[in-house]
Amino acid sequence: MNKILYGSSNLIETGKDNEIQATTLIQLSGGIDSVYVLWKWLVDNPDEYCLVHHIKLIDFEQNYNFELEAVDKILRWLDNKGLKNYFYVQNTFDYGNFSSVIPDSEICGFHAGILLRLPRWKSINKVILPIYDNAPLSLLWHNNRLKIMEIASKRSVPLFSPEKGCYSVQNRYEVIHPLVGLCKTDVIRAIPRELLNLCWYCRTPLNNKICGTCHACSEVEKSLEKVDNDLLLNFITQSELKNKKD
């Protein structure tokens, strides 16, 4: 894929981006949850800029190219809608021949911490994470992600000040969880269907297509079915009411 400057990233290339400060970090996998969170933030915060970060995560599941292709299509869609108030950065993490892996969220936490430590992004004071509050195992991984992010960023690690003779915390950031209280069905119902169709959520692609059987595919299919049934029921109800009036 040729190098494309999404959003306002052309300013980074020309060195003119220092005048615009990002306030928020959003990590984008190309999946439904992170895409929804990004889209909603861009719409709700037209006067702010966020830093969008994607990791090309190379592991045994071999779905990284599908995610990268989805991210490309998603950012093009956002740009075409005029939602360009973001900078985009990307890096690669390769497990190589490691015999096992750790949760993706912990890898994300480490790389987010690195970004938060960089002088260019010191203005970022919010990190948005698309985590639900109804999955105990995911919450455990999420807490590990927060700890790793804090250590890597050195943002909220107490620093000793000889002048003051005490420890102080500098440049803290707020972690925001916009999906708490929601479920996958709520997100699928809210996100534009055109944008939803660009997302990639399958964990184990088969013949270059979604497998339809992994836990991620199953979750999305169930939610889609419920949303479509609700839309159909609403359409039937509205039609019946219209017929009665006529």
Side-chain angles (χ1 to χ4, degrees):
M1 185 170 60
N2 294 328
K3 185 174 182 181
I4 298 172
L5 302 178
Y6 308 101
S8 298
S9 298
N10 62 302
L11 298 178
I12 296 179
E13 297 296 311
T14 59
K16 298 178 180 179
D17 67 319
N18 287 325
E19 297 179 1
I20 301 176
Q21 301 298 313
T23 63
T24 306
L25 171 63
I26 301 176
Q27 290 183 299
L28 178 68
S29 68
I32 295 172
D33 299 333
S34 64
V35 171
Y36 167 75
V37 164
L38 174 59
W39 165 75
K40 186 93 167 49
W41 189 93
L42 294 173
V43 170
D44 292 346
N45 299 275
D47 298 324
E48 293 184 40
Y49 283 76
C50 70
L51 175 63
V52 178
H53 172 224
H54 175 72
I55 303 173
K56 183 179 179 181
L57 184 57
I58 303 175
D59 59 14
F60 69 95
E61 290 180 328
Q62 300 291 305
N63 64 350
Y64 49 87
N65 282 328
F66 296 104
E67 290 180 340
L68 193 57
E69 183 179 350
V71 166
D72 173 58
K73 293 177 180 178
I74 288 158
L75 296 181
R76 288 173 182 268
W77 187 91
L78 293 171
D79 286 357
N80 287 334
K81 298 298 181 182
L83 300 172
K84 296 185 177 183
N85 49 321
Y86 68 91
F87 299 105
Y88 177 73
V89 293
Q90 174 188 314
N91 71 297
T92 300
F93 180 86
D94 190 345
Y95 273 101
N97 64 348
F98 285 15
S99 59
S100 60
V101 300
I102 64 175
D104 294 351
S105 57
E106 296 181 14
I107 299 295
C108 292
F110 173 69
H111 287 90
I114 293 175
L115 285 171
L116 290 170
R117 193 193 297 191
L118 298 179
R120 171 60 186 94
W121 308 116
K122 64 182 180 180
S123 59
I124 292 176
N125 54 29
K126 295 184 289 291
V127 179
I128 296 184
L129 299 178
I131 181 76
Y132 297 100
D133 57 346
N134 56 358
L137 185 57
S138 293
L139 290 175
L140 174 62
W141 292 340
H142 178 60
N143 285 331
N144 290 340
R145 175 184 193 167
L146 295 179
K147 294 175 185 176
I148 293 171
M149 183 166 62
E150 180 176 334
I151 293 171
S153 70
K154 290 189 175 181
R155 282 281 195 101
S156 53
V157 177
L159 301 175
F160 182 70
S161 172
E163 295 79 13
K164 298 181 180 179
C166 64
Y167 285 90
S168 63
V169 175
Q170 298 186 5
N171 205 10
R172 276 191 179 276
Y173 53 85
E174 178 185 5
V175 180
I176 300 173
H177 306 89
L179 301 188
V180 168
L182 301 179
C183 66
K184 183 76 73 176
T185 303
D186 296 323
V187 170
I188 289 178
R189 184 179 288 115
I191 191 173
R193 184 57 68 100
E194 186 180 1
L195 182 56
L196 174 66
N197 291 336
L198 300 179
C199 297
W200 179 268
Y201 46 83
C202 179
R203 303 293 296 192
T204 55
L206 185 64
N207 297 325
N208 293 326
K209 297 179 181 179
I210 61 172
C211 69
T213 57
C214 69
H215 71 89
C217 283
S218 298
E219 183 183 26
V220 171
E221 288 303 317
K222 288 179 182 177
S223 297
L224 278 171
E225 184 178 359
K226 187 176 189 314
V227 170
D228 289 341
N229 286 341
D230 290 345
L231 288 173
L232 179 59
L233 179 60
N234 181 64
F235 175 78
I236 293 174
T237 302
Q238 294 299 322
S239 296
E240 290 177 345
L241 290 173
K242 184 176 183 301
N243 290 335
K244 286 181 180 180
K245 289 180 182 180
D246 294 341

